[in-house]
Amino acid sequence: MNENNSISWEDFSKVEMRIGTIISAEIFKEARNPAYKIAIDFGSFGLRKTSAQITELYTPDEIIGRQVVAVINFPPKQIATMMSECLVLGGLGGEKEVILIQPDRKVENGTKIG
């Protein structure tokens, strides 16, 4: 690990990662790169919209109902025609395909990652 990339525990603790359930997903036609428009239920933290470039490994139908991990305290970001309100987390495969991070058992929406 490069020392220049180190962050403090205080910095890390500011990142609000929560588990939510995808309740809708559709092709994001206006996006520059292939992506889906997704709505995620974070329980008491509300419903949030985002865009995710996960089209290589997932279809909209197979991700609806799936729980995912997302950062919910980034400022909203304009992506094509929508305002993204969270960032879904995933691992990057060898071909830059995104593999979603998810809990291994169902938990309450809004559960904190820490």
Side-chain angles (χ1 to χ4, degrees), residues 34-92:
Y36 298 135
K37 284 185 196 178
I38 299 173
I40 304 171
D41 178 2
F42 289 100
S44 63
F45 296 91
L47 186 67
R48 310 255 178 140
K49 297 176 294 183
T50 192
S51 168
Q53 295 178 10
I54 57 173
T55 58
E56 291 273 326
L57 300 179
Y58 306 97
T59 65
D61 287 341
E62 71 181 318
I63 62 171
I64 293 172
R66 184 180 296 230
Q67 288 194 304
V68 292
V69 177
V71 176
I72 65 168
N73 66 331
F74 283 134
K77 180 179 180 180
Q78 186 74 42
I79 300 176
T81 58
M82 73 172 285
M83 192 64 77
S84 179
E85 301 167 319
C86 63
L87 174 68
V88 175
L89 300 180
L92 286 178

